[in-house]
């Protein structure tokens, strides 16, 4: 849905997925969607959860990806505060 540009549908689907089973990948995908929509603070929260879960489950690849995206989300949030 997200890749097809259906961001609202994708957000609802991801939220249901997170509510049903909060996995690191679900939070990572939600963060990607939030970054795409320009919501750095929301992305930041999902990425921190993704990082915590990835660390608990030894998901090194997902952990690295989330950390890189966290830098991007932090920059977005910083830019919006400074505007």
């Amino acid at each position: 849905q997200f890749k097809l540009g259906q961001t609202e549908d994708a957000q609802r689907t991801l939220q249901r997925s997170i509510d049903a089973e909060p996995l690191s990948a679900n939070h990572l995908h939600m963060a990607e969607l939030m970054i795409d929509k320009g919501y750095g603070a929301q992305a930041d929260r999902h990425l921190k959860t993704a990082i915590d879960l990835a660390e608990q489950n030894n998901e090194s690849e997902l952990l690295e990806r989330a950390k890189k995206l966290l830098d991007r989300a932090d920059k977005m949030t910083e830019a919006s505060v400074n505007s």
Side-chain angles (χ1 to χ4, degrees):
Q1 291 170 321
F2 175 58
K3 290 183 180 183
L4 296 173
Q6 300 167 344
T7 57
E8 296 305 317
D9 290 340
Q11 185 174 348
R12 281 190 293 275
T13 300
L14 282 167
Q15 190 58 58
R16 282 194 302 270
S17 180
I18 288 168
D19 292 344
E21 189 170 6
L23 302 172
S24 55
N26 297 346
H27 282 282
L28 179 70
H29 293 306
M30 181 65 91
E32 290 172 325
L33 181 103
M34 293 293 107
I35 288 170
D36 189 64
K37 292 176 79 171
Y39 301 143
Q42 291 91 332
D44 190 79
R45 285 193 299 272
H46 283 286
L47 287 165
K48 287 178 180 175
T49 301
I51 288 167
D52 288 343
L53 292 169
E55 286 174 342
Q56 291 171 21
N57 296 312
N58 296 316
E59 299 170 306
S60 58
E61 187 176 313
L62 196 141
L63 179 61
E64 288 306 311
R65 192 168 153 204
K67 286 180 177 180
K68 287 178 185 175
L69 281 174
L70 184 60
D71 288 338
R72 186 171 165 200
D74 286 344
K75 287 176 186 170
M76 285 178 68
T77 302
E78 191 176 297
S80 69
V81 169
N82 293 329
S83 320

